């Protein structure tokens, strides 16, 4: 009996080590040995599920179910199966597991954070709010709990509550510079009410800490712009963007080459070959460079009773890559990938995309996918979903470039932290969009941000008409839309249309001379 017990402990230990070493082949062998010899060892089934995740999700789910049959109240096992359901986009099953977790006695705040984040993944911000509020109730001195709650309040437009949480975060952890940046962003600062002194003090203190100063630089740039000290704003922004750029490995030439390859691959002949896609009329894609008003357009259209606004989804790109793999195309490089996508079964791609986003949909006849970067895939979207609506939001190029430059996107949009790279990328983006208009005439509906804020009703009616929907006056009340927003515009779209952002780049024109030269040399007007 003692020998058997020792063997059981040894196999479990070795299995754990194999999983940690990512030696999947050995882990699967040990898991099978463990489960065959010790079928009542719940942890053995759990570890088997962890090993199986990498190769067979269905078998991983079966294994963790075995563990739960033996130990149904184990929070690690329940959380694990919830994560498996999440990875498979099985929303109902995931939420049932999360409900079971919330019923456990003496639940810890760390577990509540996990639960809340899974609600967020499914865009259930109301659900995540309830969970994060509970986390703060039981562990109010945990800065992570307070920060997550603040973020959710912000997404839902509850700015006063978000501010209270952020102030608590900073009190608990003065070096949480992400919290200081969010605090700067949730409202417009004034000369009488701002955080400039506190931010400069934190910047001085940051020298003694091994944390990035980048969020502090961006926060100071934002607050100085709010109080109209544009020189100070640009100075701090330059410091922040330079620091951020130096921490990244990125070559704008690669992105430009990709855009050029897309233009070469998807020429006019690609759209006259009788390719069949899915005939659904449900999708509405809103594309364009970030910070151009895509969120504003989304709020207007999603305030229509027949439209669900799903926010920024990366599902089209994910399903594109999934179909490339499933259809055995085997690209050897990123440029080869572009060439081989032309061989795709676009009907399957359209169907795969619709299936992937179905988990986020509510009851609207149409839904919006507002990922700006989908401009890269506009041609493929049209081939896969020929009846989908594609709305392209444009803004003055210099306003666009500066609005992007002053936004800290973290890991997204790597071209945004150097003005020269940003200008070159913008020229390539403009070239791609002109290409799409040429090879797909009449497919994409252009929207001018400047025209939209100057004549909201007329532009909104054109938008709704393009979407083949009957006009509803509620589309003009977009600022009362209760839907969550997780974009950089989250603190702005709760207000009615304003024109103060039009032409703001001119406050910095002497710093943008080279940028405007690059833009003009490409034949793009900056007047």
């Amino acid at each position: 009996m003692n020998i058997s017990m020792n063997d059981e402990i040894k196999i479990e230990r070795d299995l754990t080590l194999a999983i940690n070493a990512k030696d999947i082949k050995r882990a699967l062998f040990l898991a099978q040995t463990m489960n065959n010899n010790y079928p009542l060892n719940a942890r053995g089934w759990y570890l088997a599920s962890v090993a199986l995740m990498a190769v067979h999700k269905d078998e991983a789910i079966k294994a963790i179910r075995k563990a739960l049959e033996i130990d149904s109240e184990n929070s690690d096992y329940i959380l694990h199966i919830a994560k498996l359901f999440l990875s498979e986009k099985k929303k109902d099953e995931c939420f049932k597991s999360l409900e079971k977790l919330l019923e456990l006695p003496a639940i810890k705040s760390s577990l509540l954070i996990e639960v809340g984040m899974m609600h967020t993944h499914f865009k259930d911000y109301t659900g995540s709010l309830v969970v994060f509020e509970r986390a703060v109730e039981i562990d109010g001195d945990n800065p992570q709990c307070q920060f997550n709650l603040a973020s959710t309040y912000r997404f839902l437009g509850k700015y006063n509550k978000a501010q209270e949480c952020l102030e608590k975060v900073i009190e608990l952890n003065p070096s949480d510079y992400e919290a200081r940046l969010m605090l700067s962003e949730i409202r417009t600062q004034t000369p009488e009410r701002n955080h400039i002194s506190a931010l400069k003090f934190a910047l001085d203190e940051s020298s003694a800490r091994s944390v990035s100063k980048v969020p502090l630089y961006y926060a100071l740039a934002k607050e100085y712009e709010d109080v109209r000290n544009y020189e100070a704003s640009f100075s701090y922004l330059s410091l922040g963007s330079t620091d951020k750029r130096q921490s990244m490995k990125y070559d704008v030439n690669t992105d430009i080459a990709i855009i050029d390859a897309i233009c070469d691959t998807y020429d006019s002949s690609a759209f006259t070959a009788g390719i069949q896609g899915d005939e659904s009329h449900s999708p509405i894609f809103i594309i364009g460079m970030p910070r151009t008003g895509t969120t504003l357009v989304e709020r207007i259209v999603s305030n229509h009773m027949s439209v669900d606004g799903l926010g920024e989804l990366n599902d089209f790109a994910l399903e594109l890559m999934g179909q490339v793999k499933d259809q055995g195309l085997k690209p050897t490089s990123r440029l080869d990938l572009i060439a081989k996508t032309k061989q795709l079964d676009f009907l399957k791609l359209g169907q795969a995309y619709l299936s992937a986003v179905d988990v986020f949909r509510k009851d609207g006849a149409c839904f919006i996918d507002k990922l700006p970067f989908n401009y890269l895939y506009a041609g493929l979207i049209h081939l896969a979903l020929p009846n989908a609506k594609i709305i392209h939001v444009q803004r003055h190029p210099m306003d666009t470039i500066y609005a992007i430059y002053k936004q800290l996107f973290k890991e997204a949009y790597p071209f945004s932290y150097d003005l020269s790279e940003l200008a070159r990328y913008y020229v390539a983006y403009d070239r791609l969009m002109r290409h799409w208009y040429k090879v797909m005439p009449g497919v994409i509906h252009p929207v001018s941000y400047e025209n939209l804020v100057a004549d909201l009703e007329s532009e909104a009616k054109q938008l709704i008409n393009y979407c083949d929907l009957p006009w509803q006056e509620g589309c003009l009340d977009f600022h009362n839309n209760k839907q969550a927003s997780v974009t950089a515009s989250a603190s702005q779209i709760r207000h009615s249309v304003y024109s103060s952002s039009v032409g703001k780049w001119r406050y910095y024109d002497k710093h943008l001379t080279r940028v405007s030269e690059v833009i003009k040399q490409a034949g793009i007007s900056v007047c």
Side-chain angles (χ1 to χ4, degrees):
M1 183 71 176
N2 288 335
I3 294 174
S4 176
M5 180 70 73
N6 289 338
D7 286 347
E8 183 176 358
I9 293 170
K10 183 178 184 303
I11 294 171
E12 182 180 319
R13 183 196 65 200
D14 290 347
L15 174 54
T16 302
L17 290 172
I19 290 171
N20 291 340
K22 295 183 170 54
D23 186 348
I24 301 302
K25 184 176 181 179
R26 176 167 171 74
L28 292 173
F29 169 76
L30 290 169
Q32 185 176 27
T33 303
M34 184 77 176
N35 299 153
N36 287 342
N37 289 283
Y38 310 103
L40 296 182
N41 185 314
R43 182 164 174 79
W45 288 106
Y46 164 69
L47 292 172
S49 179
V50 173
L52 284 162
M53 282 178 66
V55 293
H56 204 307
K57 291 284 180 66
D58 288 342
E59 292 300 318
I61 291 173
K62 289 179 183 177
I64 194 62
R65 286 193 193 279
K66 290 274 191 180
L68 286 166
E69 287 174 7
I70 300 165
D71 187 358
S72 62
E73 301 297 309
N74 188 298
S75 61
D76 289 339
Y77 304 166
I78 301 171
L79 180 63
H80 179 73
I81 197 170
K83 288 180 176 179
L84 280 169
F85 287 140
L86 182 147
S87 69
E88 293 292 283
K89 291 192 173 181
K90 295 181 177 180
K91 180 179 178 180
D92 292 342
E93 292 94 330
C94 180
F95 278 12
K96 285 178 183 178
S97 298
L98 297 183
E99 287 172 7
K100 190 170 182 179
L101 275 174
L102 294 174
E103 292 170 358
L104 295 178
I107 189 169
K108 295 182 179 179
S109 62
S110 58
L111 189 56
L112 288 170
I113 288 173
E114 296 258 24
V115 173
M117 293 306 294
M118 281 192 269
H119 276 278
T120 297
H121 178 87
F122 284 112
K123 303 186 183 297
D124 177 22
Y125 299 103
T126 302
S128 62
L129 177 64
V130 172
V131 176
F132 288 142
E133 284 180 333
R134 182 174 169 186
V136 166
E137 284 177 9
I138 67 173
D139 195 5
D141 287 336
N142 182 326
Q144 187 62 54
C145 293
Q146 292 282 359
F147 186 87
N148 288 343
L149 183 56
S151 298
T152 308
Y153 279 142
R154 184 192 184 197
F155 297 158
L156 295 170
K158 301 177 183 291
Y159 302 123
N160 289 337
K161 289 188 174 182
Q163 180 172 318
E164 291 174 8
C165 291
L166 291 169
E167 288 171 347
K168 182 66 174 179
V169 173
I170 294 165
E171 176 188 329
L172 294 167
N173 181 15
S175 62
D176 190 330
Y177 302 150
E178 296 286 348
R180 291 185 183 274
L181 175 58
M182 189 188 298
L183 186 61
S184 294
E185 291 175 337
I186 59 174
R187 65 175 176 81
T188 301
Q189 311 301 318
T190 67
E192 299 76 28
R193 184 185 179 194
N194 59 69
H195 311 97
I196 291 174
S197 295
L199 287 167
K200 293 177 76 172
F201 180 80
L203 189 59
D204 291 339
E205 292 286 299
S206 67
S207 299
R209 301 186 176 99
S210 59
V211 292
S212 171
K213 302 177 185 179
V214 170
L216 289 178
Y217 289 136
Y218 276 82
L220 280 162
K222 193 271 181 186
E223 298 215 6
Y224 270 121
E225 180 174 276
D226 283 351
V227 301
R228 301 192 176 190
N229 187 335
Y230 301 114
E231 283 302 306
S233 176
F234 189 86
S235 176
Y236 281 111
L237 183 54
S238 296
L239 291 169
S241 60
T242 299
D243 271 14
K244 179 66 176 177
R245 181 65 185 89
Q246 289 175 347
S247 70
M248 303 171 68
K249 291 183 178 180
Y250 172 71
D251 185 352
V252 71
N253 293 307
T254 301
D255 276 347
I256 293 172
I258 287 170
I259 287 175
D260 288 342
I262 292 171
C263 292
D264 292 340
T265 302
Y266 288 92
D267 57 12
S268 297
S269 66
F271 303 94
T272 58
I275 294 172
Q276 182 183 3
D278 189 282
E279 297 294 327
S280 173
H281 289 259
S282 295
I284 301 171
F285 291 87
I286 299 176
I287 63 174
M289 289 288 270
R291 313 300 293 139
T292 55
T294 54
T295 302
L296 171 60
V297 171
E298 180 200 29
R299 304 300 279 199
I300 292 169
V301 180
S302 67
N303 235 31
H304 195 285
M305 294 176 65
S306 298
V307 180
D308 295 332
L310 305 187
E312 298 186 356
L313 306 177
N314 62 356
D315 292 84
F316 190 86
L318 290 175
E319 295 306 318
L320 172 65
M321 295 305 298
Q323 289 299 307
V324 166
K325 180 180 179 181
D326 292 347
Q327 296 180 33
L329 298 184
K330 298 180 181 179
T332 57
S333 67
R334 293 173 73 180
L335 295 181
D336 186 44
L337 168 65
I338 294 166
K340 284 195 167 132
T341 57
K342 207 171 180 181
Q343 303 171 29
L344 281 169
D345 182 328
F346 283 96
L347 174 60
K348 288 183 179 179
L349 173 57
Q351 291 171 339
Y353 168 77
L354 292 171
S355 177
V357 302
D358 188 61
V359 68
F360 302 118
R361 296 188 62 180
K362 298 172 186 175
D363 54 3
C366 301
F367 68 88
I368 296 174
D369 181 338
K370 191 207 77 71
L371 185 68
F373 243 152
N374 275 332
Y375 60 75
L376 291 169
Y377 310 109
L380 288 83
I381 288 170
H382 183 55
L383 291 170
L385 298 157
N387 293 315
K389 304 300 182 183
I390 305 176
I391 299 168
H392 174 218
V393 188
Q394 304 167 81
R395 187 180 180 185
H396 188 287
M398 296 301 293
D399 270 332
T400 298
I401 288 171
Y402 196 71
I404 292 172
Y405 181 62
K406 70 180 182 180
Q407 182 66 44
L408 180 58
F409 291 106
K410 298 181 181 177
E411 301 312 314
Y413 306 112
F415 53 79
S416 67
Y417 303 106
D418 179 278
L419 282 170
S420 295
E421 292 176 331
L422 179 48
R424 292 183 62 208
Y425 186 92
Y426 184 90
V427 169
Y429 146 80
D430 182 78
R431 183 164 64 251
L432 177 61
M433 288 312 307
R434 290 174 190 267
H435 174 78
W436 290 139
Y437 282 116
K438 179 181 178 181
V439 299
M440 301 189 299
V443 170
I444 301 174
H445 178 72
V447 176
S448 161
Y449 173 76
E450 288 79 11
N451 290 347
L452 186 61
V453 299
D455 190 353
L456 175 63
E457 183 170 352
S458 176
E459 292 291 323
K461 285 182 176 178
Q462 290 181 51
L463 271 169
I464 300 302
N465 182 63
Y466 166 73
C467 293
D468 292 329
L469 295 168
W471 173 249
Q472 292 178 355
E473 291 293 329
C475 294
L476 300 177
D477 297 324
F478 66 90
H479 50 287
N480 294 319
N481 189 325
K482 301 302 182 184
Q483 176 187 324
S485 175
V486 299
T487 70
S489 304
S491 301
Q492 299 165 336
I493 44 80
R494 306 290 176 182
H495 305 287
S496 55
V497 163
Y498 55 89
S499 60
S500 57
S501 292
V502 175
K504 185 167 278 189
W505 72 275
R506 296 188 185 281
Y507 292 117
Y508 307 94
D509 58 353
K510 71 179 183 180
H511 300 291
L512 303 175
T513 302
R514 178 57 187 149
V515 172
S516 62
E517 288 175 356
V518 171
I519 298 301
K520 286 186 287 188
Q521 286 170 6
I524 303 170
S525 174
V526 297
C527 296

